[in-house]
Amino acid sequence: MDWIFDAKTAIENRRSVRSFTSDPVEPEAMSQLVSFIKSVPLPFTHNTEIKFFKAQPTKDMYYTIRSPEDNMAFISDLDPISLGKTGFIGEIAVLKATSLGLSTCWIGTFKKSELLSLSPETLVGVDNPGLNDKSVADRATVCCCPVGYFQEKGLRLYDRLVKTVFSFNRKVLKDLLEEPSLEPKIPEHLMQAIEMGIKSPSAINMQPWRFSFDESFESILIGLPGDFKPFKWAYPNIDIGICASHVYLSLLAQDYNPKVEIFTKNNGVVFRIFPGKKVVKRVFKRKLIKRSRTEINKGKTVATSPTNKLGYNDLRGALRTVIALYPTANPVKFGVGIALRTATALCTKIDPKNKGVMGVVRTAALVYSKLDTKQRGFNKLLITAKTLIPVFKK
Ligand SMILES: Cc1cc2nc3c(=O)[nH]c(=O)nc-3n(C[C@H](O)[C@H](O)[C@H](O)COP(=O)(O)O)c2cc1C
């Protein structure tokens, strides 16, 4: 799945930023963000729109934030399911922006009159006389989101307060479970997904989400608490969608293939996510070993050199070592032939008559595999192996 970014890191790094430089988003990052939003595959159909608009570096658009140049607006139908989907989609865009090194902040309290003057087509809903007809009555621009670069020096007292009081402050797990007694039984993969869900942003940091499960933990449900009363914030279903996106992305990152069902309960949206089976990734190493053995059996002469006769086991050991060195190599580029040649060279360059040499090489390979990939190379391996030989002789 090419579209997947490192969502776990993005979730860890994301913070609501309220201090922006006046720089526009770099064109390369902007084009990546825009094309991601257009093409990202989602586990449901929807009619959410994300529109970009430009703003002046003033506080005319957001009450407490000086706008950066670039901003997003999230436009949604106003039924609970659509609002949940908008939260899900908007947060995936926010996390992608984070992964591109950009700062963001969901904003529910933006100035509609200012948006109307900056970009009339972006303000959907009753506040826009031009668009105020029946077809848009149930649809509105529900949130905006500045996108830009964090200006650390710009943090004023309010920002610092918000940063320390809200940003890192989260409810504890037992307060977020519909049935707290289930906590010790939650399977590891769902636990990891919940941990990511808890890090979601929410309006006034309300964290209105509650997690529940079906009997055998085949699915996780994310919804509002049964007794929830909307207070100060009209669209808590957006927050549920945001949290569901974190849970979903975490399961994807753990190699699950999650399926999503969305329904309403007590007029609030519920996301039910089935992790499904873990996708078993084929490990190239195994394939290569199989092909290599066939190759070895075909012609043992590959293993000889003018000076030293190499035994089959020497070669096999060396080959395994070489393969272990290139666990992530592309099988097309790194063919059996190259593996064989490298292995043979390895055996002849170190002393193949020396018993246990392959053990040394394997140890060297282990040491070597810890090196940064940029530092690697055949000669480095050789040097590592050679320095190890005297140590082993002792
Ligand atoms: C739907 C939504 C609306 C929000 N609206 C505002 C807002 O109007 N003004 C603001 O300063 N922050 C707003 N926030 C940001 C929250 O205050 C912030 O997510 C929360 O305090 C947690 O901090 P964090 O995002 O840094 O983890 C909003 C967040 C969400 C999800």
Side-chain angles (χ1 to χ4, degrees):
M1 274 181 259
D2 291 343
W3 68 272
I4 293 181
F5 52 95
D6 183 356
K8 192 168 181 286
T9 308
I11 289 172
E12 302 284 359
N13 290 343
R14 188 212 56 80
R15 292 276 167 270
S16 291
V17 162
R18 297 176 179 86
S19 258
F20 291 89
T21 68
S22 53
D23 302 321
V25 172
E26 296 279 337
E28 172 59 26
M30 183 53 102
S31 97
Q32 281 196 45
L33 182 59
V34 170
S35 66
F36 172 84
I37 291 171
K38 272 193 199 142
S39 61
V40 59
L42 292 161
F44 45 73
T45 56
H46 68 92
N47 54 11
T48 296
E49 278 176 280
I50 297 185
K51 285 191 177 168
F52 283 83
F53 65 93
K54 299 270 184 196
Q56 301 298 320
T58 63
K59 287 199 192 135
D60 294 344
M61 180 64 206
Y62 309 115
Y63 292 91
T64 53
I65 299 176
R66 194 178 298 279
S67 307
E69 190 170 318
D70 293 297
N71 301 263
M72 294 187 279
F74 303 132
I75 300 160
S76 178
D77 285 354
L78 298 179
D79 59 283
I81 290 183
S82 301
L83 286 165
K85 289 177 176 178
T86 298
F88 193 106
I89 296 165
E91 181 64 1
I92 289 188
V94 160
L95 292 172
K96 175 67 184 179
T98 310
S99 78
L100 293 168
L102 302 170
S103 292
T104 56
C105 184
W106 278 86
I107 300 283
T109 49
F110 56 93
K111 292 186 200 161
K112 293 181 177 171
S113 53
E114 179 64 11
L115 182 56
L116 183 62
S117 76
L118 288 171
S119 173
E121 68 287 356
T122 306
L123 184 70
V124 174
V126 289
D127 311 276
N128 187 341
L131 294 180
N132 190 7
D133 61 26
K134 279 206 172 107
S135 62
V136 296
D138 297 328
R139 189 168 171 79
T141 307
V142 285
C143 282
C144 288
C145 179
V147 191
Y149 300 96
F150 177 48
Q151 185 175 46
E152 196 158 6
K153 283 192 191 135
L155 281 184
R156 294 165 303 109
L157 179 65
Y158 173 81
D159 299 323
R160 284 203 296 273
L161 210 69
V162 170
K163 200 176 164 207
T164 40
V165 175
F166 286 145
S167 262
F168 298 95
N169 207 349
R170 291 294 187 269
K171 290 178 179 153
V172 290
L173 177 60
K174 78 170 173 37
D175 295 339
L176 297 171
L177 295 177
E178 288 286 1
E179 265 190 71
S181 64
L182 285 180
E183 187 176 336
K185 295 185 194 146
I186 301 172
E188 178 55 29
H189 62 293
L190 292 183
M191 201 63 181
Q192 280 191 35
I194 292 172
E195 274 169 24
M196 290 295 122
I198 289 178
K199 295 189 169 149
S200 303
S202 59
I204 337 171
N205 206 17
M206 270 185 310
Q207 307 158 60
W209 40 77
R210 294 297 176 271
F211 303 103
S212 56
F213 311 91
D214 58 17
E215 265 176 31
S216 50
F217 291 102
E218 267 178 26
S219 67
I220 174 167
L221 294 102
I222 303 136
L224 293 165
D227 55 355
F228 186 81
K229 300 253 175 320
F231 164 73
K232 286 196 177 175
W233 171 232
Y235 304 129
N237 291 308
I238 292 184
D239 307 54
I240 299 302
I242 293 176
C243 181
S245 78
H246 281 217
V247 170
Y248 177 80
L249 289 173
S250 164
L251 289 166
L252 272 183
Q254 295 177 63
D255 295 330
Y256 285 87
N257 188 9
K259 299 276 172 296
V260 177
E261 273 177 20
I262 310 174
F263 54 93
T264 55
K265 192 177 165 190
N266 305 330
N267 214 25
V269 69
V270 179
F271 281 77
R272 182 177 195 182
I273 304 183
F274 295 83
K277 288 223 162 66
K278 203 165 177 157
V279 183
V280 182
K281 286 196 171 158
R282 284 193 170 274
V283 183
F284 153 67
K285 207 164 120 185
R286 279 199 166 278
K287 260 195 193 163
L288 190 60
I289 288 172
K290 213 170 154 196
R291 283 167 61 203
S292 311
R293 275 189 193 146
T294 322
E295 197 79 26
I296 291 165
N297 290 335
K298 254 200 259 161
K300 286 184 188 164
T301 48
V302 189
T304 58
S305 82
T307 45
N308 299 305
K309 288 264 181 239
L310 293 171
Y312 174 81
N313 283 339
D314 288 332
L315 181 67
R316 217 164 70 150
L319 195 55
R320 278 175 186 233
T321 306
V322 171
I323 290 163
L325 290 176
Y326 297 94
T328 54
N330 176 345
V332 179
K333 284 193 192 153
F334 185 74
V336 175
I338 298 177
L340 277 172
R341 275 200 298 283
T342 320
T344 313
L346 203 56
C347 285
T348 52
K349 287 219 174 178
I350 302 177
D351 175 12
K353 284 179 206 149
N354 179 350
K355 282 209 167 147
V357 71
M358 286 333 299
V360 174
V361 173
R362 252 175 254 147
T363 314
L366 250 174
V367 175
Y368 173 90
S369 66
K370 308 269 182 249
L371 293 175
D372 185 273
T373 36
K374 282 187 201 134
Q375 290 179 283
R376 293 186 193 175
F378 179 66
N379 284 337
K380 272 258 162 61
L381 170 64
L382 208 57
I383 293 162
T384 320
K386 278 183 175 165
T387 38
L388 280 173
I389 290 173
V391 181
F392 273 70
K393 273 187 180 160
K394 277 183 199 165

